[in-house]
Amino acid sequence: MKIVMNDNNRGIKIAGIGSFVPPLTVTNEDLAGTLDTSDEWIYSRTGIKTRHYNGGKPNYTMAVEAARGALENANISAAEIDYVIVTTSTPDFLYPITACLVQNAVGAVNAACLDISMACTGFVGGLDVARGLLYSGYNKILFVASECLTLHADFKDRATCVLFGDSAGAVVLERAGKLFASCMKAKGVSPEAPVLYYKMNNMINAPFCENNSDSILPRLQMDGKEVYKFAVDAMPEAAKAACEKAGLGLDEIDLFIPHQANIRIVQTAAKSLGIGMDKVYTNIEKYGNTSSACMPVCLDELNKAGRLKEGMKLCFVGFGAGLTYGAVIIEI
Ligand code: UT7
C-alpha cells in the first residue's frame, strides 16, 4: 500500500529568538598584524571585514546567553521547555553534551537533551529534527546553535583562520499549522580525503592499541577550493528541492538566509537560482563564518530590526563539513 503524506502544513512557530555575539572584535588589519595577509585580500575574496572572538571562554557560555535571550523573547519560563537541542561542532566536552550544560544553566528542569553534530548545516538540520519532535508529542523546544571556531582554528594558517568567528543563536519552537518543507542531503567523504575536518587525537597512550604517537593538538583543516566548488552547487540544489516540496516558486520566498561562509559563494548561488541579493540576508561582513550559529544570529538581527512579518516565507539554506547540505522553508 502506498501511503501519500502531505504534511507541509505541519509547521513550526518561532516563539522566541536570541543571540550572543562576543564583544571582542578582530579586524582584518588586526590579523594582518600577525599573519601574512591583508584587508584587501580577505575582503575581496570573502566579504569579511571583522569577526568576533569569545576570548578563550568555553563555547557553552555563548550558548547559554543565546538561550536566555530566546526564552526572554518568547516570554516563557525555562521550566516549560520539554526539549533542549544544541547543534555545535565545537563542543567543550564530548560528554556531557552541550545541551545538558545549557539545560542546567537556564533551569530547563523538565527537558530532555540532545546534541546535533552536522557542522555548518546544523541549524537547518536541527530545525528539521525539532519539527519532527514537535509532531511526536513535545510542545516547546529550545534549539541553540553555538560555535566557538577560535577553539579549532589554526592561527598559523592564513587560508583558514581569517574566515572564522564565534557566536551563538537560539530559538524557541512550537507547533503551528503553517507551511514547512525541508530537503536535507549529504555527500559523504572518505577519512583519507575529508575536505573539511577536525580530527580527534584520541589514541595517545591507549594500551593494546596501535598508538597514534602524533601528539600535536588537532586543528581545523580545509581544502577551500573543494568546499567552494561543492557549496555553489549544493546550496541552489537544496533550495530548489525544498521549494518544490513546498509547492512554491523561488520567487515566492520572501527571504533566503544562507550559511555565511563566503559572500562570493552566496552571490554565485543566488545568481544560479536567479534571485537578487535583495532577497538574501547576509551579515558575513561583521561576523565572518560562525558555522551553524550564522543563521539564528541573522534571524535575531532581522527580528530586532522589525523585519520579520507574520506569513513571510523564509528559506534557510546551508552546507558544511561532511559534506552535509540542505534547506528548510518555514512560514513564520
Ligand atoms: O563553512 C564552510 C567553510 N569553508 C568555506 O566556506 C571555504 C570555501 N572556500 C573559500 O571561501 C575560498 O576557497 C577561500 C577564501 C578559502 C580561498 O580563496 P581562493 O580564491 O580559493 O584562494 P586560493 O586558495 O586559491 O589562494 C590564492 C592565493 C594563494 O597564494 P598563491 O599560491 O597564489 O601565491 C594563497 O596562498 O592566496 C593565498 N592566500 C592568502 N593570501 C593572503 C590564502 N589565504 C590568504 C590570506 N591572505 N588570508
Side-chain angles (χ1 to χ4, degrees):
M1 185 177 65
K2 193 173 172 208
I3 299 172
V4 180
M5 272 178 48
N6 183 352
D7 60 354
N8 278 355
N9 287 319
R10 300 204 309 168
I12 55 179
K13 173 182 169 192
I14 302 180
I17 311 172
S19 70
F20 179 77
V21 176
L24 175 61
T25 310
V26 177
T27 65
N28 291 345
E29 287 83 3
D30 292 333
L31 290 174
T34 64
L35 284 165
D36 181 13
T37 190
S38 63
D39 174 53
E40 200 283 324
W41 193 97
I42 301 171
Y43 188 63
S44 64
R45 300 274 177 141
T46 69
I48 300 166
K49 276 274 178 202
T50 57
R51 71 287 292 142
H52 290 244
Y53 288 173
N54 201 28
K57 292 196 205 83
N59 179 30
Y60 79 86
T61 58
M62 296 192 297
V64 169
E65 292 294 333
R68 287 192 175 127
L71 288 169
E72 197 183 319
N73 186 238
N75 198 21
I76 62 164
S77 82
E80 291 176 66
I81 295 293
D82 44 24
Y83 231 116
V84 177
I85 304 176
V86 172
T87 184
T88 184
S89 41
T90 55
D92 306 295
F93 300 85
L94 277 182
Y95 37 87
I97 58 171
T98 308
C100 286
L101 303 176
V102 172
Q103 178 201 25
N104 174 62
V106 303
V109 288
N110 297 309
C113 288
L114 169 71
D115 269 18
I116 292 177
S117 178
M118 216 190 254
C120 303
T121 319
F123 188 72
V124 185
L127 284 177
D128 206 27
V129 170
R131 188 261 198 149
L133 287 167
L134 285 170
Y135 286 92
S136 77
Y138 296 92
N139 295 312
K140 287 188 182 0
I141 296 183
L142 174 62
F143 173 37
V144 189
S146 187
E147 303 281 8
C148 194
L149 273 309
T150 50
L151 297 173
H152 284 196
D154 179 351
F155 286 95
K156 293 200 172 84
D157 179 9
R158 66 179 183 172
T160 54
C161 73
V162 301
L163 306 173
F164 298 105
D166 305 331
S167 75
V171 285
V172 174
L173 302 172
E174 296 169 8
R175 281 184 297 278
K178 293 175 176 224
L179 179 79
F180 182 103
S182 71
C183 167
M184 299 306 304
K185 296 203 160 205
K187 183 184 168 203
V189 292
S190 80
E192 286 77 35
V195 188
L196 170 54
Y197 65 98
Y198 176 92
K199 186 173 181 299
M200 309 302 285
N201 220 355
N202 55 1
M203 292 298 283
I204 298 168
N205 297 328
F208 316 115
C209 296
E210 226 177 89
N211 272 2
N212 175 357
S213 58
D214 178 1
S215 61
I216 297 167
L217 277 175
R219 288 284 148 217
L220 182 156
Q221 312 270 336
M222 178 174 70
D223 181 339
K225 280 204 187 307
E226 276 306 307
V227 179
Y228 195 105
K229 274 195 280 177
F230 167 73
V232 294
D233 289 337
M235 294 226 286
E237 180 195 328
K240 270 189 212 154
C243 276
E244 253 168 55
K245 274 194 173 176
L248 294 176
L250 286 159
D251 58 344
E252 290 176 88
I253 299 294
D254 295 292
L255 201 58
F256 289 83
I257 303 181
H259 174 41
Q260 313 279 312
N262 181 325
I263 197 70
R264 292 190 299 142
I265 293 177
V266 174
Q267 287 164 341
T268 308
K271 197 169 168 200
S272 125
L273 287 169
I275 53 170
M277 284 300 285
D278 56 323
K279 286 281 194 90
V280 182
Y281 190 76
T282 65
N283 60 14
I284 187 174
E285 184 167 329
K286 290 185 287 183
Y287 306 131
N289 179 350
T290 64
S291 190
S292 70
C294 293
M295 290 182 204
V297 171
C298 288
L299 199 59
D300 197 33
E301 283 188 344
L302 285 161
N303 193 33
K304 288 187 171 133
R307 288 184 56 188
L308 298 180
K309 309 274 182 241
E310 201 169 342
M312 269 176 93
K313 293 176 192 76
L314 305 180
C315 177
F316 298 93
V317 54
F319 66 93
L323 298 159
T324 54
Y325 61 115
V328 159
I329 294 170
I330 58 169
E331 180 188 342
I332 55 173

